[in-house]
């Protein structure tokens, strides 16, 4: 009797069934950035609610990511793919936000403005922390709902029946 070694390589069908979501997270980030930029331009002439701007920007990013996924893969996102895309997209959104506020902090504010803001945040940190937590929850919920609803709306199987 000869011994057969087990193959540790994954079959090709499994590799094809699980697409890389990094590209679509990038599409999410591009859509979010484009929508945010357009809203920043609009806000120079018209005052808009910042929470509304963030939600609409996330919806635009989700639409671009889901439509590109469906166009490339010819199927809708699965539940685990929606979760991965949601968390990846939100991480990118918050990283872009940190870069944006860091740039404002270092390039726009002078030393006195930085001291005043830092002292204000140290004296009453609870409003700042609660608003950050609310924005995080808002981004997570809006990304989840928009990814789910757009995925359901653009599902090619659902549209054909």
């Amino acid at each position: 009797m000869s011994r057969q070694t087990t193959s540790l390589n994954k079959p090709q069908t499994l590799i094809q069934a699980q697409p890389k979501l990094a590209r679509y997270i990038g599409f999410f980030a591009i859509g979010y950035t484009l929508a945010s930029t357009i809203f920043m331009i609009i806000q120079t002439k018209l005052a808009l609610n910042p929470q509304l701007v963030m939600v609409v920007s996330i919806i635009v990013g989700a639409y671009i990511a889901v439509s590109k996924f469906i166009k490339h893969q010819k199927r809708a996102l699965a539940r685990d793919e929606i979760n991965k895309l949601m968390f990846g997209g939100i991480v990118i959104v918050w990283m872009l936000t940190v870069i944006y506020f860091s740039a404002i902090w270092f390039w726009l504010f002078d030393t006195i403005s930085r001291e005043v803001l830092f002292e204000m945040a140290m004296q009453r940190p609870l409003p700042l922390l609660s608003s950050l937590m609310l924005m995080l929850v808002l981004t997570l919920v809006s990304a989840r709902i928009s990814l789910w609803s757009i995925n359901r709306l653009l599902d090619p199987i659902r549209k054909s029946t």
Side-chain angles (χ1 to χ4, degrees):
M1 273 216 250
S2 66
R3 294 177 102 188
Q4 288 184 342
T5 59
T6 58
S7 175
L8 297 178
N9 295 335
K10 289 184 179 179
Q12 290 291 355
T13 57
L14 287 178
I15 293 172
Q16 293 294 338
Q18 298 173 347
K20 301 283 186 200
L21 290 178
R23 172 190 295 174
Y24 305 106
I25 292 171
F27 286 134
F28 187 96
I30 289 169
Y32 174 80
T33 305
L34 287 174
S36 294
T37 304
I38 290 169
F39 281 120
M40 283 182 195
I41 293 169
I42 291 171
Q43 283 181 332
T44 60
K45 304 292 181 197
L46 179 69
L48 298 173
N49 185 348
Q51 289 84 10
L52 177 68
V53 168
M54 181 175 271
V55 169
V56 172
S57 298
I58 286 174
I59 291 171
V60 169
Y63 175 78
I64 290 173
V66 171
S67 66
K68 290 291 185 180
F69 182 90
I70 290 174
K71 181 180 175 185
H72 294 158
Q73 302 297 322
K74 306 290 189 244
R75 65 175 179 86
L77 287 157
R79 175 177 276 161
D80 62 331
E81 292 170 335
I82 289 175
N83 290 335
K84 288 178 186 176
L85 186 59
M86 177 191 67
F87 286 120
I90 295 305
V91 165
I92 294 295
V93 164
W94 278 94
M95 283 178 28
L96 290 172
T97 304
V98 166
I99 291 169
Y100 175 72
F101 282 121
S102 298
I104 287 175
W105 181 263
F106 289 113
W107 287 324
L108 194 60
F109 292 156
D110 59 352
T111 308
I112 296 169
S113 298
R114 283 187 216 132
E115 272 186 41
V116 168
L117 287 173
F118 187 71
E119 288 296 321
M120 185 177 64
M122 286 294 119
Q123 287 178 2
R124 298 198 57 193
L126 192 58
L128 179 64
L129 291 175
S130 63
S131 65
L132 284 174
M133 292 307 297
L134 285 172
M135 292 302 283
L136 182 62
V137 169
L138 178 71
T139 55
L140 284 170
V141 169
S142 63
R144 176 65 182 177
I145 291 172
S146 62
L147 283 170
W148 175 80
S149 61
I150 292 170
N151 186 47
R152 191 171 166 98
L153 181 70
L154 298 179
D155 186 3
I157 296 171
R158 204 173 185 75
K159 284 170 58 173
S160 64
T161 60

